[in-house]
Amino acid sequence: VESLVYLVNLGTIPLHMWMSRIDDLTKPDWCLIDLDPKDAPFEHVITLAKTMRKLCEQVEMPAYVKTTGKSGLHIMLPLGRQMTYQQCLQFAMLFARLVTDRHPGIATTQRTISKREGKVYVDAFQNRAGQLMGAPYSVRPSPGAPVSMPIEWDEVNAKLHNSNWTIVNALKRMQKRGHDPVVQVVEMKPKLMGVLERLNKLIGED
């Protein structure tokens, strides 16, 4: 109870979560690619997300996308708890490299903000143990109370914006959809060895 009071006193609104479960914190349920624009145009985030999806289709890796509720997009790759966090980080770095190699003018893996030159940061380092992700369906402390919303890939288009779903309309959207795509993320168990083989082949072709 005291910890809850402490959070309320701090004005805490968003929920942040690990990517692994309490019964085995060492094995994440998913790998996260965070497309973080900072000052870059959101249309560049859309372009990179679409490229990420094409890459996933090429290597037969399931991929799900959600708004962050702030400025970017999160792409979640289900792992079925078959990797450690270190392996998950290396896995994410392969995708980040492929995405940035295809869009060097708008994408970067540079962690230092001042060196990003107005490009979208393709962040693989969210996959380290102990890192927290803004939870799906969590309200964010921004004007309009936007919600981090799982979306369909056909919604990743020019009409997409993080302000599309808020505390006002999020529940209605979820009820209308009738299913929760995040359930698939935590239940799916892809054949990762085949995915890795195809990934390495793609990198070798670049």
Side-chain angles (χ1 to χ4, degrees):
V1 174
E2 290 180 358
S3 62
L4 289 176
V5 172
Y6 183 63
L7 289 173
V8 171
N9 286 341
L10 284 177
T12 300
I13 297 174
L15 299 175
H16 290 82
M17 61 189 293
W18 276 47
M19 297 188 293
S20 50
R21 310 185 198 192
I22 195 169
D23 62 338
D24 188 353
L25 292 174
T26 67
K27 298 289 183 65
D29 277 289
W30 61 81
C31 176
L32 177 66
I33 304 295
D34 181 7
L35 301 178
D36 181 5
K38 286 293 185 285
D39 298 323
F42 189 68
E43 63 189 71
H44 291 175
V45 175
I46 299 296
T47 297
L48 298 179
K50 289 181 176 180
T51 294
M52 182 67 191
R53 187 193 185 191
K54 288 179 182 177
L55 286 171
C56 287
E57 289 176 340
Q58 283 181 272
V59 300
E60 299 176 34
M61 180 70 214
Y64 297 82
V65 60
K66 73 180 184 70
T67 64
T68 63
K70 295 187 75 175
S71 60
L73 293 176
H74 282 163
I75 298 170
M76 303 167 70
L77 311 178
L79 298 178
R81 299 199 281 180
Q82 300 175 86
M83 287 184 175
T84 64
Y85 273 100
Q86 182 59 35
Q87 291 168 331
C88 178
L89 172 59
Q90 296 299 318
F91 189 57
M93 290 175 70
L94 293 177
F95 280 105
R97 173 183 167 183
L98 286 167
V99 170
T100 53
D101 282 353
R102 281 159 174 72
H103 298 282
I106 64 172
T108 181
T109 55
Q110 175 59 249
R111 298 178 68 189
T112 304
I113 295 176
S114 62
K115 296 181 180 180
R116 292 180 192 169
E117 301 176 335
K119 299 176 183 180
V120 177
Y121 177 36
V122 184
D123 187 0
F125 284 89
Q126 295 296 323
N127 296 285
R128 295 171 297 174
Q131 291 290 112
L132 300 177
M133 180 187 82
Y137 309 112
S138 176
V139 179
R140 309 307 296 268
S142 300
V147 170
S148 177
M149 180 63 69
I151 58 177
E152 303 295 339
W153 278 108
D154 61 7
E155 294 178 292
V156 181
N157 55 44
K159 296 180 180 179
L160 179 62
H161 195 276
N162 269 279
S163 62
N164 289 2
W165 296 284
T166 70
I167 197 171
V168 175
N169 62 12
L171 181 58
K172 183 178 180 180
R173 171 184 165 84
M174 289 184 279
Q175 291 172 334
K176 184 177 180 180
R177 293 182 77 182
H179 73 283
D180 182 356
V182 181
V183 172
Q184 294 173 284
V185 176
V186 298
E187 291 184 347
M188 191 173 291
K189 193 172 184 178
K191 296 179 180 179
L192 296 179
M193 287 304 298
V195 173
L196 283 167
E197 289 173 3
R198 290 183 284 273
L199 262 179
N200 285 322
K201 185 177 179 181
L202 269 183
I203 290 173
E205 293 172 354
D206 279 11

